[in-house]
Amino acid sequence: MAEKLDKVDVVVIGSGWAGGIASAELSKAGYKVVCLERGKERSTKDFIGSKDELRYTKRHELAQDLTKQTMTFRNNVGDDAIPMRKHNGYPIYDEGTGGTSVHWSGWSYRWLPFDFEIRTKIIEKYGEERIPKDMIVQDWGVTYDDMEPYYDKWEKTAGISGEVNPLGPPRSDAYPNPPMKESPAIRLFTEATEKLGYHPFRMPAATISQQYVNPDGETINACVFCAFCSMYGCDFAAKADPIVTVLKTAQKTGNFELRNNAHVKRILHDGKKATGVLYVDPLTLEEFEQPADLVVSAAFFSGNNRLMMLSGIGEPYNPETGKGVIGKSFTSHYTGIGGNSATAFFEEKKFNTFAGAGALGSVIDDFNGDHIDNTDTDFLHGFNISIFQDGAAAIANNRVPQGTPYWGKEFKEKSVHYAHRYLNIGGMQGTMPHTHNYMDLDPTYKDIYGDPLLRITAKFTDQERNMAKMIAEKCADIAEAMGADIVNTPPVADDAEMTSSSVNTHAAGGVIMGEDPETSAVNTYSQVWDMENVFVVGGSSFPHFGNSNPTETIGAFAYRAAEGMIDYLKGDGGLLVESKTRKETV
Amino acid sequence: MADEKGLKPGESKASQAPDTSRRRFMKNSGMIVGGVAGGSLLGGLLTNQFKSENSTPVKEEKKTAEPTQARMFFERYEDFVVLEQATERILPEGASGPGAIELGVPYFIDKQMAGIWGINGTDYRQGPFTVVDPPVDQSSLNRGQIMVTGLRKMNDESKKRFDVTFDKAEEDQQIEIMQDFESSKVKLRGVSSAGFFGLLRELTMEGAYSDPLYGGNRNMAGWKMQEFPGAVPSYADIIEKDEFVQRDPMSLTSYQQKS
């Protein structure tokens, strides 16, 4: 029998950026907030002296404990899914205070006006017949102009260092901090892309260029380019994450409690409204019921989907009929397709690539969204291309030109020779949802508490393969213009197929937002259509995946959602946005 | 095969040319290795032999003795010498610098297999395991079991094809066998041979280039070879510099706070 705890105003599930922002905003507004974090207590103390590539990059020290739970994966309905038993190149996701938002690299982009009105804009430009039958393309229900203030707010909280994207959408303000220092590799990319007629700009970075105090009064230190960044917590508290910003802000209010070792099993409800959550302490296996007026699920795309399914909230998506919403439109910046990048080898130049920072880079937006004309492309949406110098650590740093064996004498001599004589240019592609890419509960595999795991069913289409090929071509052109002696691009096989290791931290969908409860699970305030006092925040709400990193857009929507939560708690209940298709019964 | 050029007595001789020394020992002593002559006795006798052959002063040998270079996972010396030779074929000594054996890679792997990584201590391990001829992470065998299984099969293949154990086979013969594992031409029980080979290669790279605290990358020689500076607090002073900056590497033993 679960022990019933005292009721609070708000219970937040997860302490990453999404849950951290909700916690800060609601506790600042005077509400009593309890944040339940599945993993252990972590602070900046844990990251001091953590410059250990084997432990953090290879063994994924910060990633979630897979002995307790994971996800399963298959390509097709009818296949048996297999569990993702270990973390691959990119971890599945993290746990512990700050969640996955601790190990991130800090690439901080706004998505385009095109992204939020994608269906309307594609039809306007190319006609409805251009959208393949199995591709789900939905407007998000908001415009970029609606989102601009939230983007601005998030950038100021995180102290983003950057320069304005010359092709980017309008901004109400400049970045709060100037771009990071420029390394020779980045200068080379900038010069080459300018020569090719593109519009390079410095990557907007949450690895901060100077010490900064954010509007909540939290200090983020200046990055010193130590290069142990992506996959690490920052040694110097110089990377914006929830621990040094929003969780600290919430703590200061006196209205906030972060409860670690609290794995939420169910959102409890009476069919109409949530009454709280049921959670288990993974250390003692004691169960607790935490009653609350408002439940915020911010448990990563996977946790959010699984909680909705296990709790029986919303109608599960059916890939055969296309009906239902929970689990629909799984997307990710899939890895393992090939293409997508080029490696530039130089015989005469050596770069200090052992130095760097997670978001030290430069980028072009010329092929993003509707900056690229899809009339003659064999895909919809687009991609960005960037160079980044995040620190080439020794184990992973063994790039050799194609045709070189993968081990042995020649491999060793060349991998040592080229260790500081190559640069990588990479793209990130927008990912469109398909009817056959979705999530549900696995019928076979369970977590240690006996609950079924989340199952992903997904496969590549020519949309992804074709875009990966074009990205490789464009990256190769840039590598040539940079003066490389050898340019390699990874091949894309015509039958390249997705595997479980294609799924990484950039994954989204399943509890998507929209204007219509028939096709979406939450409204644009991340409020669940079918249960008004549950807000599901994070990448799970993306109807498709834009072509750059998701964190800033998650942060912006978390600020919007928090505003909605406060309105909801202040008001008389009900939905914050009227459903387009159905009349609410009050 | 491994020549003895540049070896420091008592340091890595036994590991670098194990069979030469073992044969020499057996010939000279007339003892049969096995049951009775245990590890420490054998080791002591071997060390004495090197000492006398190279007229090495006792003082210097003591200086280079590394108590961490002993096996905690691989039970059979026969398996370990296969591991030594296989890792050396993956990352051989050459013009660029030391090879896997000198870098301590085999002992690194031994330590890794004895610990959490070897028993898949952070993986999801609930059944059923349904994949046929599985990759490493879908195998019901743990990584330690996979290593032993694969190394023994490499030895069996060598005996079958060349009538000699893997560690005594010619380099070309060793490479041929390893290539057949890499391309899944050899069948293993419980794991794909390509999966085993991928694990072996990955562990070799990790042993050569990880922080020396794990027992590989001895004397930071892997980092020196790659011109990787290790754990350095700040590069703010060099990030904008055009010229390549070389510095002596620093490991976590000097970086982390100590009492």
Side-chain angles (χ1 to χ4, degrees):
Chain A
M1 203 37 202
E3 182 187 338
K4 194 163 178 172
L5 304 169
D6 292 338
K7 191 175 172 185
V8 293
D9 296 322
V10 182
V11 64
V12 177
I13 308 162
S15 67
W17 273 121
I21 288 169
S23 296
E25 294 304 294
L26 288 157
S27 59
K28 274 157 64 181
Y31 297 103
K32 294 286 177 199
V33 179
V34 166
C35 179
L36 301 176
E37 164 57 48
R38 191 180 49 177
K40 65 182 178 187
E41 185 265 334
R42 293 194 298 201
S43 77
T44 49
K45 276 188 286 196
D46 295 307
F47 312 135
I48 296 170
S50 63
K51 292 176 160 45
D52 183 341
E53 185 190 9
L54 186 71
R55 181 174 181 184
Y56 291 89
T57 307
K58 297 288 292 179
R59 305 282 188 256
H60 298 299
E61 174 75 27
L62 300 183
Q64 76 153 326
D65 178 2
L66 293 180
T67 63
K68 294 191 172 60
Q69 67 165 322
T70 183
M71 300 182 281
T72 70
F73 180 86
R74 62 178 182 173
N75 290 130
N76 299 295
V77 173
D79 296 350
D80 287 331
I82 54 169
M84 297 154 83
R85 295 187 179 278
K86 70 179 265 277
H87 295 287
N88 287 297
Y90 288 92
I92 297 168
Y93 53 108
D94 297 358
E95 63 183 26
T97 306
T100 311
S101 309
V102 170
H103 90 247
W104 75 310
S105 306
W107 302 17
S108 304
Y109 296 99
R110 295 181 178 201
W111 286 0
L112 295 180
F114 168 80
D115 281 304
F116 303 116
E117 300 168 85
I118 188 165
R119 182 173 182 86
T120 303
K121 297 211 177 214
I122 286 175
I123 291 172
E124 257 172 37
K125 220 166 163 183
Y126 311 110
E128 193 165 0
E129 63 281 2
R130 182 65 201 275
I131 302 170
K133 286 254 173 319
D134 63 348
M135 189 186 281
I136 304 166
V137 185
Q138 290 182 202
D139 290 348
W140 290 38
V142 286
T143 64
Y144 172 81
D145 291 341
D146 296 330
M147 291 308 297
E148 202 286 333
Y150 306 112
Y151 273 130
D152 183 64
K153 186 162 186 175
W154 188 82
E155 286 169 358
K156 285 173 176 157
T157 296
I160 301 306
S161 301
E163 68 182 334
V164 172
N165 172 2
L167 300 178
R171 306 173 53 93
S172 57
D173 204 352
Y175 284 107
N177 286 303
M180 307 185 79
K181 286 178 181 174
E182 189 179 58
S183 71
I186 287 169
R187 200 148 49 238
L188 197 56
F189 175 90
T190 301
E191 286 163 6
T193 48
E194 271 171 359
K195 204 161 68 191
L196 292 168
Y198 301 137
H199 302 81
F201 61 103
R202 297 299 309 285
M203 182 180 284
T207 44
I208 309 299
S209 58
Q210 58 187 5
Q211 198 185 55
Y212 169 77
V213 180
N214 80 6
D216 291 317
E218 315 306 344
T219 302
I220 308 166
N221 292 326
C223 171
V224 291
F225 307 93
C226 79
F228 289 85
C229 193
S230 186
M231 303 295 162
Y232 301 79
C234 183
D235 201 338
F236 308 105
K239 175 167 73 174
D241 72 11
I243 294 176
V244 298
T245 61
V246 287
L247 293 174
K248 232 176 175 180
T249 302
Q251 293 286 8
K252 281 195 308 204
T253 65
N255 294 323
F256 176 70
E257 183 197 343
L258 175 64
R259 213 173 282 161
N260 289 91
N261 301 308
H263 170 89
V264 176
K265 293 175 75 174
R266 295 290 185 280
I267 297 170
L268 303 169
H269 60 86
D270 60 13
K272 285 186 176 159
K273 277 186 165 186
T275 54
V277 301
L278 174 72
Y279 71 90
V280 58
D281 180 334
L283 305 179
T284 63
L285 301 183
E286 287 170 289
E287 291 197 338
F288 301 92
E289 183 184 335
Q290 177 60 66
D293 287 329
L294 187 79
V295 175
V296 181
S297 186
F300 216 71
F301 88 94
S302 43
N304 283 348
N305 273 279
R306 189 158 172 260
L307 270 174
M308 294 293 275
M309 293 171 194
L310 288 172
S311 308
I313 303 172
E315 189 188 345
Y317 172 72
N318 181 334
E320 310 296 335
T321 63
K323 295 244 183 315
V325 288
I326 305 299
K328 172 179 145 173
S329 294
F330 170 77
T331 54
S332 179
H333 283 149
Y334 308 119
T335 42
I337 197 168
N340 272 331
S341 67
T343 308
F345 293 93
F346 299 84
E347 292 300 338
E348 303 302 328
K349 285 198 188 81
K350 278 175 89 175
F351 301 91
N352 294 312
T353 37
F354 51 79
L360 174 63
S362 187
V363 58
I364 59 167
D365 220 18
D366 297 73
F367 302 101
N368 187 356
D370 53 355
H371 300 162
I372 181 173
D373 186 352
N374 286 139
T375 308
D376 297 321
T377 61
D378 42 13
F379 54 81
L380 287 167
H381 209 297
F383 50 90
N384 71 15
I385 291 177
S386 63
I387 189 168
F388 61 98
Q389 186 175 335
D390 67 345
I395 299 170
N397 190 15
N398 46 66
R399 198 73 63 92
V400 288
Q402 278 169 9
T404 310
Y406 206 41
W407 53 279
K409 282 189 177 116
E410 189 189 349
F411 165 76
K412 181 174 175 244
E413 296 307 311
K414 285 195 175 165
S415 67
V416 171
H417 171 74
Y418 285 112
H420 296 98
R421 289 185 170 91
Y422 76 90
L423 299 172
N424 198 49
I425 296 112
M428 207 173 270
Q429 52 174 270
T431 310
M432 306 298 261
H434 287 91
T435 53
H436 46 75
N437 293 352
Y438 73 104
M439 292 166 275
D440 62 1
L441 293 174
D442 193 280
T444 305
Y445 294 97
K446 293 183 164 47
D447 67 13
I448 59 157
Y449 313 109
D451 284 326
L453 299 182
L454 186 73
R455 174 172 67 179
I456 296 169
T457 305
K459 56 187 171 188
F460 290 139
T461 67
D462 285 339
Q463 156 83 18
E464 292 83 36
R465 296 184 192 104
N466 294 339
M467 203 192 295
K469 285 178 197 165
M470 184 167 174
I471 295 172
E473 285 164 23
K474 299 297 178 190
C475 290
D477 292 345
I478 295 168
E480 298 273 355
M482 287 165 70
D485 296 296
I486 303 169
V487 176
N488 286 164
T489 57
V492 182
D494 288 336
D495 60 351
E497 192 44 283
M498 208 185 293
T499 66
S500 61
S501 52
S502 304
V503 179
N504 53 62
T505 39
H506 290 205
V511 194
I512 67 174
M513 73 174 77
E515 293 180 297
D516 180 356
E518 301 302 315
T519 56
S520 61
V522 295
N523 63 32
T524 60
Y525 290 93
S526 302
Q527 182 185 28
V528 176
W529 288 118
D530 288 337
M531 199 161 285
E532 62 181 46
N533 67 338
V534 177
F535 287 68
V536 183
V537 191
S540 56
S541 68
F542 296 170
H544 73 275
F545 220 118
N547 69 1
S548 57
N549 305 48
T551 300
E552 177 155 340
T553 299
I554 289 171
F557 274 100
Y559 273 116
R560 182 180 168 88
E563 198 180 279
M565 294 168 204
I566 292 167
D567 283 351
Y568 175 83
L569 288 168
K570 274 188 194 156
D572 307 322
L575 290 169
L576 295 158
V577 184
E578 279 299 301
S579 153
K580 256 179 115 181
T581 52
R582 68 183 183 203
K583 284 270 166 279
E584 292 306 314
T585 49
V586 182
Chain B
M1 285 295 293
D3 63 323
E4 303 198 359
K5 177 176 57 124
L7 287 183
K8 289 193 186 96
E11 185 184 83
S12 60
K13 201 154 204 167
S15 58
Q16 212 164 8
D19 290 279
T20 318
S21 37
R22 206 177 108 200
R23 274 201 304 275
R24 192 182 300 137
F25 162 71
M26 287 193 289
K27 205 175 98 189
N28 293 355
S29 68
M31 274 179 73
I32 292 163
V33 183
V36 182
S40 62
L41 170 63
L42 179 57
L45 287 168
L46 279 175
T47 310
N48 288 338
Q49 281 216 324
F50 285 132
K51 247 193 297 191
S52 60
E53 273 184 24
N54 295 297
S55 317
T56 309
V58 176
K59 208 171 65 184
E60 194 178 322
E61 185 187 324
K62 270 188 183 154
K63 200 176 77 185
T64 55
E66 289 182 47
T68 54
Q69 294 230 320
R71 299 193 307 277
M72 62 170 85
F73 172 78
F74 289 101
E75 291 155 317
R76 294 189 194 169
Y77 179 67
E78 284 77 2
D79 296 334
F80 193 70
V81 290
V82 176
L83 176 69
E84 287 182 316
Q85 291 307 310
T87 56
E88 184 70 18
R89 293 294 78 73
I90 288 169
L91 222 49
E93 187 186 352
S96 60
I101 291 175
E102 195 179 329
L103 290 168
V105 168
Y107 285 104
F108 164 87
I109 294 176
D110 180 72
K111 288 172 185 21
Q112 286 289 306
M113 293 304 98
I116 200 167
W117 194 241
I119 58 163
N120 298 43
T122 57
D123 291 0
Y124 182 80
R125 295 296 283 166
Q126 295 185 42
F129 291 82
T130 56
V131 182
V132 179
D133 201 26
V136 168
D137 54 315
Q138 293 296 335
S139 172
S140 63
L141 305 178
N142 65 33
R143 293 186 185 89
Q145 292 168 323
I146 287 170
M147 287 303 287
V148 172
T149 302
L151 294 171
R152 287 196 183 157
K153 185 74 176 177
M154 281 169 60
N155 213 16
D156 290 346
E157 284 293 312
S158 180
K159 286 187 269 189
K160 194 171 85 187
R161 294 183 196 191
F162 311 119
D163 205 23
V164 61
T165 53
F166 183 87
D167 54 292
K168 289 185 205 122
E170 298 297 325
E171 275 189 27
D172 287 350
Q173 295 172 328
Q174 294 171 335
I175 290 167
E176 180 196 304
I177 291 170
M178 289 167 71
Q179 284 171 338
D180 286 352
F181 273 73
E182 187 185 23
S183 57
S184 271
K185 281 184 193 147
V186 179
K187 286 280 166 255
L188 288 179
R189 290 166 67 89
V191 66
S192 77
S193 60
F196 155 73
F197 186 81
L199 177 63
L200 175 67
R201 182 197 177 276
E202 192 173 10
L203 285 165
T204 303
M205 301 304 291
E206 290 173 354
Y209 294 122
S210 56
D211 192 282
L213 79 91
Y214 294 100
N217 186 18
R218 284 173 68 208
N219 306 315
M220 295 187 276
W223 286 356
K224 285 173 195 156
M225 176 164 72
Q226 206 198 71
E227 299 178 300
F228 178 69
V232 175
S234 168
Y235 293 118
D237 53 337
I238 67 146
I239 193 70
E240 293 173 304
K241 279 200 171 137
D242 268 313
E243 63 275 20
F244 187 74
V245 178
Q246 231 170 341
R247 28 169 114 205
D248 289 335
M250 184 159 133
S251 70
L252 285 173
T253 192
S254 357
Y255 187 92
Q256 285 181 352
Q257 187 178 20
K258 283 201 167 92
S259 53

